[in-house]
């Protein structure tokens, strides 16, 4: 149980385009989902926390207009990178909390490369 | 001072060895403790989840929490080359909205 999927796993796009990443909890309902960014050989950096039906809470330094998050249902959250630039290239990972016990379960990640 | 400290390693051990991974923390409000394993280019996988102090065992893995010392450990018995990965500790307080505080991760290499 507690499986989280992400789609796509890999995306290459041109600078200036927008990219949408989906995160789904497959076998449980997730009131809260999280979006992280990870650079090579570094730990996870929390970008935002999203709760179903409400606006996401962004971490300091994360541009909310650039990284749009929509948590439309208890099993789906999306992250849209708007007007992507090469510096947005990174590994994006989502997680979902299952209650109980309140642990976070991570998706497999999406590798974004902006040319 | 970072709230969660974890030695990044790398830690190299021979196959079959017992591995000890550790984290220290400064926030006494932390009550939920997790260990994740992350392979390169993959999302973290939850290995152990414990609440408050004590030990928890699951197969070759044992998690220990010592709240008095603000110290948690993960032991891996009979280590295998497939255990080679980065191990992240994570923790949170009771009413933190499930947001986690992560260590930087320890890179482990188990050599055949």
């Amino acid at each position: 149980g507690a499986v989280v999927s992400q789609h796509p796993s890999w995306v290459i796009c041109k600078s200036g385009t927008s990219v949408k990443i989906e995160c789904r909890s497959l076998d449980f309902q997730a009131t809260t989902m999280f979006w992280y960014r990870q650079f090579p050989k570094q730990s996870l950096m929390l970008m935002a926390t999203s709760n179903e039906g409400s606006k996401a809470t962004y971490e300091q330094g994360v541009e909310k207009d650039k990284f749009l998050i929509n948590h439309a249902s208890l099993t789906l959250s999306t992250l849209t990178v708007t007007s992507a630039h090469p510096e947005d290239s990174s590994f994006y990972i989502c997680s979902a909390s299952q209650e109980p016990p309140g642990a976070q379960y991570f998706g497999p990640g999406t590798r974004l490369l902006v040319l | 001072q970072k709230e969660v400290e974890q030695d990044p390693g790398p830690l190299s051990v021979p196959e079959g060895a017992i591995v000890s991974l550790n984290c220290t923390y400064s926030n006494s409000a932390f009550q939920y403790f997790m260990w994740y394993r992350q392979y390169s280019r993959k999302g973290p996988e939850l290995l152990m989840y414990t609440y408050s102090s004590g030990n928890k065992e699951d197969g070759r893995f044992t998690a220990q929490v010592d709240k008095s010392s603000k110290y948690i450990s993960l032991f891996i018995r009979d280590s295998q080359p497939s255990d080679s990965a980065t191990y992240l500790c994570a923790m949170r307080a009771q009413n933190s909205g499930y947001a986690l505080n992560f260590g930087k991760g320890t890179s482990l290499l188990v050599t055949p």
Side-chain angles (χ1 to χ4, degrees):
Chain A
V3 178
V4 177
S5 70
Q6 262 182 263
H7 178 80
S9 56
W10 243 114
V11 59
I12 302 174
C13 68
K14 292 183 179 179
S15 185
T17 60
S18 293
V19 175
K20 181 186 280 189
I21 303 170
E22 289 188 352
C23 177
R24 293 182 184 272
S25 56
L26 298 184
D27 52 2
F28 66 99
Q29 293 187 327
T31 307
T32 306
M33 288 185 168
F34 303 85
W35 287 95
Y36 295 84
R37 187 172 178 176
Q38 188 175 37
F39 292 104
K41 299 190 185 299
Q42 293 191 23
S43 191
L44 302 163
M45 184 188 83
L46 180 64
M47 298 175 66
T49 302
S50 76
N51 291 293
E52 185 263 340
S54 62
K55 289 185 179 180
T57 302
Y58 291 83
E59 295 299 301
Q60 192 172 10
V62 177
E63 299 175 59
K64 59 182 68 175
D65 293 333
K66 180 161 192 64
F67 298 100
L68 300 179
I69 292 171
N70 186 345
H71 193 157
S73 76
L74 287 172
T75 59
L76 174 64
S77 176
T78 60
L79 168 69
T80 301
V81 183
T82 62
S83 187
H85 291 284
E87 58 266 30
D88 299 323
S89 299
S90 189
F91 191 47
Y92 292 89
I93 314 174
C94 72
S95 72
S97 277
Q98 182 186 31
E99 18 173 334
Q104 282 189 32
Y105 297 91
F106 286 83
T110 296
R111 194 158 300 279
L112 170 64
L113 178 61
V114 184
L115 302 176
Chain B
Q1 180 192 9
K2 226 174 132 42
E3 281 195 300
V4 181
E5 299 282 355
Q6 185 177 11
D7 187 337
L11 177 63
S12 182
V13 301
E15 182 176 357
I18 297 175
V19 176
S20 173
L21 303 166
N22 311 293
C23 288
T24 59
Y25 62 96
S26 57
N27 189 344
S28 58
F30 289 152
Q31 293 192 35
Y32 298 89
F33 304 91
M34 284 142 270
W35 283 95
Y36 289 88
R37 176 175 64 195
Q38 185 176 24
Y39 292 111
S40 181
R41 298 173 180 262
K42 300 289 185 185
E45 172 192 3
L46 180 65
L47 288 177
M48 301 292 280
Y49 178 92
T50 54
Y51 170 71
S52 195
S53 282
N55 294 358
K56 183 175 182 179
E57 187 174 319
D58 185 359
R60 295 185 297 113
F61 299 94
T62 299
Q64 285 186 353
V65 175
D66 182 348
K67 289 193 69 181
S68 62
S69 301
K70 297 191 180 70
Y71 188 89
I72 69 170
S73 301
L74 177 71
F75 297 96
I76 307 174
R77 289 182 298 282
D78 188 25
S79 57
Q80 303 294 311
S82 58
D83 295 326
S84 299
T86 296
Y87 290 79
L88 297 153
C89 64
M91 49 199 78
R92 68 176 181 89
Q94 176 81 23
N95 297 312
S96 65
Y98 303 118
L100 294 177
N101 294 272
F102 284 93
K104 289 198 168 189
T106 298
S107 176
L108 172 67
L109 177 64
V110 181
T111 55

